[in-house]
Amino acid sequence: MAKKDYYEVLGLSKTATDDEIKKTYRKLAMKYHHDRNPGDKSAEEKFKEVKEAYEVLSDSKKRAMYDQFGHAGMGGAAGGEGAGGGFGGFGGFDFGNMGDMGDVLGNIFEGVFGGGRGRGGRGQNYAHRGSDIGYALKISLEEAVHGTTVKIKIPTWTVCDECKGSGAKKGTNPVTCKTCGGTGQIRIQQGMFTLQQTCHVCRGAGKVISDPCLKCHGQGRVQEQKTLEVKIPPGVDEGDRIRLAGEGEAGIHGGSTGDLYVEISLKPHPIFKRQGNDLYCEVPISFATAALGGEIEIPTLDGKVMLKIPPETQSGKILRLRGKGVKGVRGGIGDLLCSAVIETPIRLSEEQKELLKQFEESLLKDSKRHRPKTDSWFDSVKNFFGM
């Protein structure tokens, strides 16, 4: 069955922009996704068509080839297995038996696909960038708020000082692979087609080390533990990451070094909890202070301050101290939010118990005035039971 035109599949014209193609694909992919159409075979096929069309039209080189040759120019490049390397279906095609037309098509394909593979010089794949690495660092709330400098030890790959990263024994150098001629690919002729495969000797590098370094065994890097100083800026929060460029794993055979990402996590604090730039804490208040009001001394991360307690403060009331929170790393200063916790006295003497009984009896004489919440709650209970 002939394949549908990719532009028709997406409902676009051949002059559609990249943004239009991307926007339309997202809309159609969501419409026909199997999660939204469970068990619908037609939607599943439509989703595959949309995906295949997008894979071609979103790639400038593939789109140019499709616009010029249609589906005949796709080979195995769109939507099928083995399509991962771009236009692999034409990468090894031999135009030598097609005369002048073969030369013309060969130049077109080489221009579109950058066909330097079979003409030598793939040695740039010999060096590979080192991997990025992550490190989880736990610090105290005080360190996060005020900033600090900490030393960390990390196991990582570093450049071999013996061969300077080349992997070859000191005084020698990697040589061009004789099997593939330095291209990293070998060709296998099958009729009128030429297939390309990764060279099994150099594994695609184009170079081989005939005399490897004794220290790194040809890798160009060794595993070591190194100590680093990490500067923690004031105001960092849980989950923030600090990037140390060039402190990751060393590259292979002279490749560039990766980066180190230090992820911040905060240790539990005995008093404060942080939410954004605000700090929260619970403040125990005596029954008398809550009823009459007053001032109590409380700690902050910058020292002690006096907290004013309004008269008739109820348990759970939030008392705010502005500007006593955290100055964020991205700006802004939070507040300190204190939750009042009325503390019930314990281990009372007989005299104290008697005084409290007398006090309680005095409140009952005008309970609606002194205990509005209690009376309101009991009224709700009576209504609930239809009393």
Side-chain angles (χ1 to χ4, degrees):
M1 183 182 293
K3 286 189 175 183
K4 295 182 181 178
D5 181 83
Y6 288 147
Y7 290 101
E8 290 182 5
V9 170
L10 298 181
L12 297 170
S13 67
K14 289 190 175 183
T15 59
T17 64
D18 292 342
D19 288 340
E20 289 173 337
I21 292 172
K22 184 182 294 185
K23 184 177 180 179
T24 302
Y25 166 71
R26 288 177 177 174
K27 182 178 179 181
L28 293 175
M30 186 177 296
K31 178 180 179 181
Y32 295 112
H33 197 274
H34 60 82
D35 287 343
R36 291 195 170 190
N37 305 273
D40 189 339
K41 293 294 183 182
S42 62
E44 183 179 344
E45 291 300 320
K46 190 67 178 177
F47 181 82
K48 291 180 180 178
E49 289 179 357
V50 170
K51 185 174 183 292
E52 180 177 327
Y54 177 72
E55 287 177 350
V56 172
L57 300 184
S58 63
D59 186 300
S60 59
K61 292 181 180 179
K62 293 181 183 180
R63 184 179 180 183
M65 203 64 216
Y66 177 73
D67 288 345
Q68 189 168 2
F69 295 99
H71 288 293
M74 294 298 95
E81 294 181 11
F87 276 71
F90 287 94
F93 194 92
D94 189 356
F95 296 98
N97 297 323
M98 299 178 64
D100 293 338
M101 180 59 71
D103 291 336
V104 173
L105 290 176
N107 289 333
I108 291 174
F109 279 92
E110 184 173 348
V112 174
F113 301 111
R117 278 184 158 189
R119 303 176 188 272
R122 191 189 160 177
Q124 67 270 19
N125 289 339
Y126 180 72
H128 296 281
R129 180 182 181 275
S131 299
D132 295 335
I133 56 178
Y135 185 91
L137 177 63
K138 274 195 171 187
I139 59 176
S140 67
L141 178 61
E142 288 84 355
E143 290 173 326
V145 171
H146 299 124
T148 186
T149 299
V150 297
K151 289 185 177 181
I152 62 173
K153 292 183 178 180
I154 56 171
T156 185
W157 291 95
T158 60
V159 175
C160 176
D161 57 5
E162 183 69 22
C163 65
K164 309 303 180 186
S166 71
K169 189 176 181 180
K170 193 172 183 178
T172 67
N173 291 300
V175 297
T176 300
C177 177
K178 295 180 180 179
T179 303
C180 64
T183 65
Q185 301 283 316
I186 55 176
R187 293 188 169 198
I188 302 173
Q189 190 73 33
Q190 290 187 356
M192 64 179 295
F193 291 95
T194 300
L195 303 179
Q196 290 192 149
Q197 293 181 347
T198 301
C199 177
H200 64 281
V201 176
C202 66
R203 298 179 181 179
K207 294 182 179 181
V208 293
I209 299 173
S210 56
D211 198 359
C213 171
L214 297 177
K215 184 175 181 179
C216 65
H217 307 289
Q219 292 193 64
R221 57 182 191 168
V222 292
Q223 197 166 31
E224 294 180 349
Q225 187 176 72
K226 62 180 180 181
T227 302
L228 297 172
E229 279 195 351
V230 182
K231 187 175 182 180
I232 310 298
V236 295
D237 199 359
E238 182 86 21
D240 285 348
R241 293 203 308 171
I242 299 171
R243 175 174 171 262
L244 278 68
E247 295 294 353
E249 291 187 353
I252 300 176
H253 298 148
S256 60
T257 305
D259 300 330
L260 169 65
Y261 290 89
V262 179
E263 183 166 345
I264 301 298
S265 63
L266 301 183
K267 300 175 183 176
H269 196 276
I271 298 175
F272 301 109
K273 291 183 180 180
R274 179 175 177 178
Q275 291 188 11
N277 290 342
D278 291 332
L279 293 176
Y280 290 79
C281 70
E282 291 186 345
V283 179
I285 301 173
S286 71
F287 171 76
T289 302
L292 303 176
E295 283 189 335
I296 60 173
E297 187 178 70
I298 65 168
T300 72
L301 293 180
D302 295 316
K304 296 178 180 179
V305 297
M306 299 303 295
L307 176 65
K308 186 176 181 179
I309 310 298
E312 303 176 2
T313 294
Q314 302 297 312
S315 190
K317 181 179 178 64
I318 300 297
L319 305 172
R320 184 185 297 268
L321 288 174
R322 297 195 179 277
K324 294 299 182 180
V326 180
K327 185 177 181 180
V329 70
R330 299 171 186 85
I333 302 177
D335 301 330
L336 174 58
L337 303 174
C338 305
S339 177
V341 178
I342 311 302
E343 186 174 33
T344 303
I346 61 174
R347 300 189 183 93
L348 299 177
S349 67
E350 291 301 322
E351 181 184 0
Q352 291 168 331
K353 291 178 183 179
E354 184 60 32
L355 289 172
L356 279 178
K357 288 178 182 179
Q358 294 176 16
F359 177 70
E360 178 72 7
E361 290 173 358
S362 68
L363 294 179
L364 291 175
K365 294 178 181 179
D366 193 358
S367 62
K368 288 187 179 297
R369 177 184 176 187
H370 301 302
R371 305 189 308 180
K373 287 188 176 181
T374 300
D375 286 350
S376 176
W377 185 81
F378 277 114
D379 288 342
S380 299
V381 172
K382 290 179 182 178
N383 291 333
F384 178 77
F385 287 108
M387 298 169 63

